[in-house]
Amino acid sequence: MISTILKRLQFAIRYQTFKKIIVKPDDPDKILICHKGALTILKRRCPHQGAPLETGYFKGNTLLCPWHGCKFALKTCTSKSPLQM
């Protein structure tokens, strides 16, 4: 099973067929994000109100929470809540 996941991940990175994916079935609290050729691991839920970040969207090099727009800088793994924006 793990080898299948790794093969799919390698294919996706090579051909840029996805922007984000949940990885590690034994750790469902994390997501691996592939965006513009870079990989980042984040917690799956937004710290603001627990929105699932895998349903978020990208604006530049930032992942935005789908519920309230919290920003997650993918290069530095830092975030800003809506109150800080």
Side-chain angles (χ1 to χ4, degrees):
M1 178 172 164
I2 297 298
S3 64
T4 302
I5 293 171
L6 289 175
K7 286 178 185 177
R8 288 180 184 172
L9 181 59
Q10 289 171 340
F11 178 88
I13 291 169
R14 177 177 286 159
Y15 298 105
Q16 296 292 305
T17 58
F18 69 90
K19 292 185 178 179
K20 51 198 161 184
I21 187 172
I22 297 172
V23 294
K24 292 182 72 173
D26 60 328
D27 190 2
D29 294 331
K30 301 244 185 336
I31 55 173
L32 174 69
I33 300 168
C34 178
H35 182 65
K36 296 185 178 180
L39 296 174
T40 306
I41 295 176
L42 292 175
K43 289 185 177 179
R44 185 176 177 202
R45 298 281 178 181
C46 176
H48 177 233
Q49 288 194 353
L53 291 177
E54 67 269 19
T55 62
Y57 52 96
F58 294 99
K59 184 174 183 182
N61 288 324
T62 303
L63 176 67
L64 290 118
C65 171
W67 290 0
H68 298 103
C70 289
K71 296 179 181 181
F72 297 87
L74 297 177
K75 289 186 178 182
T76 61
C77 296
T78 57
S79 65
K80 285 189 174 181
S81 74
L83 299 175
Q84 295 173 316
M85 292 188 265

